[in-house]
Amino acid sequence: MATWKKILTEADKATDGAGGIADGEAGLATGNAVFDYIAAQGFSTGSGDITAVTAGNGISGGATSGAATVTLDISDSSLTTATAIAQADLIAFSDEDDSAVTKNITFSNLEDQIFGNVSGDATVAAGGALTIANTSVQAAMLNTDIVSGLTDIGADIASTDEFIISDAGAIKRSDISRLTTFFQSALTFTTNTDVSVSKTNLTNALASYTGDDTLNIGDAGDDTTVVIRGNLQVDGTTTTVNSTTLTIDDKIITAASGGTNAATVGTAGLEIDTEDSTQLPFIGFVDGAGLTEMVVKAEGNTTAFPIAVMEFSSNSTAPTGNAGGVGSFHYDTGDDKLYIRTV
């Protein structure tokens, strides 16, 4: 006989209020019920010389009893928000070289201190003047829009237009006229003898492939995108997809297409390739007259197990049937009870 155990849900929670929770409470206890019960016990607050620590402007935290912690809070809305800082404005800091004594420093002195630590290919003088050393700007420092970000020439290229060129490592300039002369003397032009790739020629070429041939589209990097603007029909006996991500818009995938009845379809579903080549994990429908039982089979097992399901009723009565098998859930809408089958 099936055994069902009730799972406690929000419907089983204790009633809020002082009387909603007590010793031996069998229902779920909410935070409100626990708080109300503790408050109803009449515990009094402590007493002492200090009754409260109150945070002032720019300070957060405090407490009216027990340990109190205050924290510097520069986001305090009671503080005046400045939109600029002047050279003579003061900033507080801890001087670690003087026993961590709290001191102040002007923004101007702090600024000069920071600028004085800048070294290398660029230096900053007191007051903020930045100087980049000669021959220090390298190609890696340039933005990727160094060309695309420039204004278009707005006209045909002329022989006097100039460009930058590296002459055996020395950066120089040249113009289009020298580039034209180079191409004219260095290149040899021949007649194009390629066969026209017309629809007829392409169709005939593809039709000539046999079972001994392999047709590759794209290079060895396996990163070419092929788009078929229409239906795809594969008439061979084997279709292999080596990609790691498969995306399908169709909401329903049909297996054993063309089967006339359960006997011809047999067991149908999804088999997952793992190291156990003889007993692979499987999920699908078992063969039979109706193909109505959905099962799952773990790797290395020969027995397929039914997949647990969720059933429901509205009769406010605990379930007793065997529907769904061990691990199945039963929800009763009549009294908001949730059960799980254990045997």
Side-chain angles (χ1 to χ4, degrees):
M1 180 179 178
T3 300
W4 295 82
K5 297 293 181 66
K6 186 177 76 168
I7 300 174
L8 295 179
T9 64
E10 186 178 4
D12 301 296
K13 71 179 182 181
T15 305
D16 289 346
I21 183 172
D23 186 20
E25 174 64 53
L28 296 176
T30 67
N32 287 340
V34 174
F35 178 84
D36 291 341
Y37 178 78
I38 294 176
Q41 308 311 307
F43 297 118
S44 61
T45 58
S47 61
D49 294 336
I50 299 176
T51 59
V53 176
T54 304
N57 293 345
I59 303 295
S60 63
T64 57
S65 63
T69 300
V70 292
T71 304
L72 179 65
D73 183 8
I74 62 175
S75 64
D76 190 343
S77 60
S78 64
L79 296 178
T80 301
T81 300
T83 58
I85 186 168
Q87 296 289 300
D89 288 347
L90 299 176
I91 300 174
F93 72 100
S94 174
D95 189 347
E96 298 302 316
D97 293 331
D98 189 12
S99 303
V101 174
T102 301
K103 300 180 180 180
N104 62 49
I105 186 173
T106 66
F107 176 73
S108 177
N109 289 337
L110 175 62
E111 187 179 54
D112 292 342
Q113 183 73 28
I114 295 173
F115 291 160
N117 289 327
V118 177
S119 62
D121 293 335
T123 57
V124 183
L130 174 67
T131 301
I132 300 177
N134 293 337
T135 71
S136 295
V137 177
Q138 302 177 7
M141 300 177 182
L142 301 178
N143 196 300
T144 54
D145 67 349
I146 184 61
V147 174
S148 61
L150 299 176
T151 302
D152 185 81
I153 191 171
D156 294 338
I157 297 176
S159 60
T160 56
D161 290 341
E162 295 180 327
F163 59 90
I164 299 175
I165 188 170
S166 174
D167 183 10
I171 303 301
K172 299 181 180 180
R173 63 181 176 85
S174 184
D175 60 25
I176 297 299
S177 65
R178 290 192 178 96
L179 189 62
T180 302
T181 301
F182 169 77
F183 282 133
Q184 289 174 342
S185 61
L187 299 181
T188 301
F189 297 95
T190 60
T191 303
N192 184 7
T193 59
D194 291 342
V195 177
S196 172
V197 186
S198 64
K199 181 187 295 186
T200 300
N201 291 339
L202 180 59
T203 300
N204 292 336
L206 293 176
S208 67
Y209 281 81
T210 68
D212 297 326
D213 298 317
T214 298
L215 174 62
N216 292 316
I217 301 177
D219 57 20
D222 293 337
D223 52 6
T224 303
T225 299
V226 178
V227 178
I228 299 176
R229 298 183 180 277
N231 298 327
L232 173 64
Q233 178 176 322
V234 180
D235 290 335
T237 57
T238 302
T239 301
T240 302
V241 180
N242 291 325
S243 63
T244 56
T245 301
L246 178 63
T247 302
I248 300 175
D249 289 344
D250 200 344
K251 298 179 180 179
I252 298 177
I253 300 175
T254 302
S257 177
T260 57
N261 52 50
T264 60
V265 172
T267 300
L270 175 64
E271 191 173 64
I272 303 172
D273 190 7
T274 62
E275 61 183 14
D276 192 331
S277 59
T278 59
Q279 297 176 2
L280 300 177
F282 168 83
I283 181 172
F285 293 92
V286 298
D287 53 354
L291 287 176
T292 56
E293 184 178 19
M294 192 171 185
V295 299
V296 62
K297 181 177 69 176
E299 177 184 11
N301 286 300
T302 58
T303 303
F305 299 94
I307 297 177
V309 298
M310 168 72 86
E311 61 178 6
F312 71 93
S313 64
S314 58
N315 54 15
S316 301
T317 303
T320 58
N322 298 324
V326 175
S328 297
F329 290 95
H330 181 104
Y331 180 67
D332 196 322
T333 60
D335 53 7
D336 283 339
K337 295 295 189 297
L338 179 62
Y339 302 85
I340 184 173
R341 183 181 170 191
T342 59
V343 180

